[in-house]
């Protein structure tokens, strides 16, 4: 985001004579076979207003990187970028043959994936009402993001084509149409190289005198993070107290006091297994995606499966359970 903004500013102020190389000229792509324009023109934005709106939206959509991981988030950007490039050409040809409408130049920039991110934002992020206007119109935690997207949509004449193609590409990748998630993704070796090279340069240290809370992109997520942090602090305080109490006595920590509900669930599951050895009993299936996320944190597959079964597939409770045990 920083690199693209810097390049856009350089092309807009000191080096305007090079802007022609980044124009999204479909006529030059089709007739003169300037395929390189698809890459450069769909990455670098020439309008500073679009740069500002795009950066603001990507900053708000960073929640998906924390929720799904950097590799999955980068795979979504890559897949929606490739699919939206194909959709742009198909939509322009469809407009030309059906409505006799010729479109030769489209707005430049990383706009296709930005509009495509509205698809998981709509489906995955819950709406929390913040206030009401005139007693009827609700203002939620997602209203500002939609307003910025509407501003970006109305910034130029033909940008609606990019918005439509971006939304279609986002739907296709989010719903895994034609198995596009298995075709367009960031390889693991590339993700590791990026983490080793770029993460030390772009990462920042946590403040020493402040508690790192409130990092969510929405108010609801910030409240949830504060509540989870408070629960962790209470658990750690109880754990330290029990450690001091049982130090020198050789006793075990009373985990039932720390995790009464989880222990009851484990006992109930054990009783069901003992009673159902002769006859099979149905059990809740464990999500393989959640198992993979726990394994990425460093836990073994057996521990992840047991924790998820004990917590009824609650990822946060399973993580806390594994960290405390």
């Amino acid at each position: 985001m920083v690199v693209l903004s810097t390049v856009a500013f350089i092309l807009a102020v000191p080096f305007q004579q090079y802007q022609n190389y980044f124009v999204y000229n479909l006529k030059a792509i089709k007739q003169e076979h300037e395929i390189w324009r698809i890459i450069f023109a769909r990455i670098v934005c020439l309008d500073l207003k679009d740069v500002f709106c795009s950066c603001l939206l990507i900053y708000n959509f960073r929640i998906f990187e924390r929720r799904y991981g950097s590799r999955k988030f980068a795979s979504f950007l890559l897949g929606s970028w490739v699919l939206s490039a194909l959709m742009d050409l198909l939509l322009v040809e469809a407009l030309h043959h059906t409505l006799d409408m010729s479109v030769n130049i489209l707005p430049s920039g990383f706009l296709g994936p930005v509009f495509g991110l509205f698809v998981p934002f709509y489906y995955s992020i819950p709406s929390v009402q913040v206030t009401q206007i005139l007693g009827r119109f609700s203002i939620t935690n997602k209203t500002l993001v939609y307003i910025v997207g509407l501003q970006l949509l109305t910034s130029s004449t033909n940008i609606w084509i990019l918005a439509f193609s971006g939304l279609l590409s986002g739907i296709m990748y989010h719903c895994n149409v034609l198995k596009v998630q298995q075709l367009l993704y960031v390889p693991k070796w590339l993700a590791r190289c990026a983490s080793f090279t770029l993460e030390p340069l772009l990462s920042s240290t946590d403040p020493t005198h402040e508690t790192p809370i409130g990092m969510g992109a929405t108010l609801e997520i910030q409240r949830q993070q504060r509540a989870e942090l408070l629960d962790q602090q209470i658990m750690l305080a109880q754990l330290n107290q029990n450690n001091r109490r049982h130090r020198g006595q050789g006793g075990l920590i009373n985990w039932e006091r720390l995790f009464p509900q989880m222990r009851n669930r484990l006992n109930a599951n054990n009783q069901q297994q003992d009673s159902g050895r002769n006859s099979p009993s149905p059990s809740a299936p464990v999500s393989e995606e959640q198992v993979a996320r726990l394994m990425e944190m460093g836990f073994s597959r057996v521990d992840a499966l047991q924790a998820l079964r004990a917590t009824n597939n609650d990822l946060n409770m399973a993580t806390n359970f594994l960290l405390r045990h």
Side-chain angles (χ1 to χ4, degrees), residues 36-62:
W36 51 270
R37 288 186 179 272
I38 299 179
I39 300 176
F40 293 108
R42 300 191 73 256
I43 293 179
V44 179
C45 188
L46 298 179
D47 193 345
L48 294 181
K49 299 190 301 297
D50 295 346
V51 172
F52 176 77
C53 293
S54 299
C55 292
L56 186 60
L57 289 173
I58 293 177
Y59 179 78
N60 281 274
F61 290 147
R62 77 193 189 279

Side-chain angles (χ1 to χ4, degrees), residues 22-135:
F22 299 90
V23 175
Y24 197 4
N25 193 338
L26 298 177
K27 185 177 180 181
I29 294 174
K30 292 183 293 185
Q31 295 182 1
E32 302 178 9
H33 304 288
E34 296 180 356
I35 308 298
W36 51 270
R37 288 186 179 272
I38 299 179
I39 300 176
F40 293 108
R42 300 191 73 256
I43 293 179
V44 179
C45 188
L46 298 179
D47 193 345
L48 294 181
K49 299 190 301 297
D50 295 346
V51 172
F52 176 77
C53 293
S54 299
C55 292
L56 186 60
L57 289 173
I58 293 177
Y59 179 78
N60 281 274
F61 290 147
R62 77 193 189 279
I63 180 177
F64 297 114
E65 184 177 7
R66 293 197 301 270
R67 174 172 293 189
Y68 302 128
S70 299
R71 179 169 174 260
K72 190 173 181 180
F73 181 69
S75 298
F76 182 90
L77 294 178
L78 175 63
S80 59
W81 185 84
V82 175
L83 292 174
S84 60
L86 299 176
M87 291 293 178
D88 291 344
L89 300 176
L90 292 177
L91 286 176
V92 170
E93 291 296 328
L95 291 175
H96 177 69
H97 290 288
T98 56
L99 302 178
D100 197 17
M101 177 180 175
S102 60
V103 178
N104 295 324
I105 296 178
L106 291 175
S108 303
F110 199 70
L111 301 177
V114 171
F115 285 109
L117 285 170
F118 277 97
V119 176
F121 182 75
Y122 175 78
Y123 284 107
S124 303
I125 306 301
S127 298
V128 180
Q129 181 176 345
V130 179
T131 185
Q132 285 187 344
I133 298 179
L134 301 178

Side-chain angles (χ1 to χ4, degrees), residues 264-301:
N264 293 333
R265 291 176 184 175
L266 282 173
N267 294 332
N269 291 335
N270 293 331
Q271 293 177 1
Q272 291 179 1
Q273 292 177 0
D274 294 337
S275 61
R277 286 178 179 176
N278 297 327
S279 61
S281 60
S283 59
V286 178
S287 174
E288 289 296 332
E289 183 179 357
Q290 294 182 352
V291 173
R293 292 182 63 182
L294 289 176
M295 292 177 65
E296 290 178 356
M297 297 179 188
F299 303 109
S300 65
R301 179 177 177 83

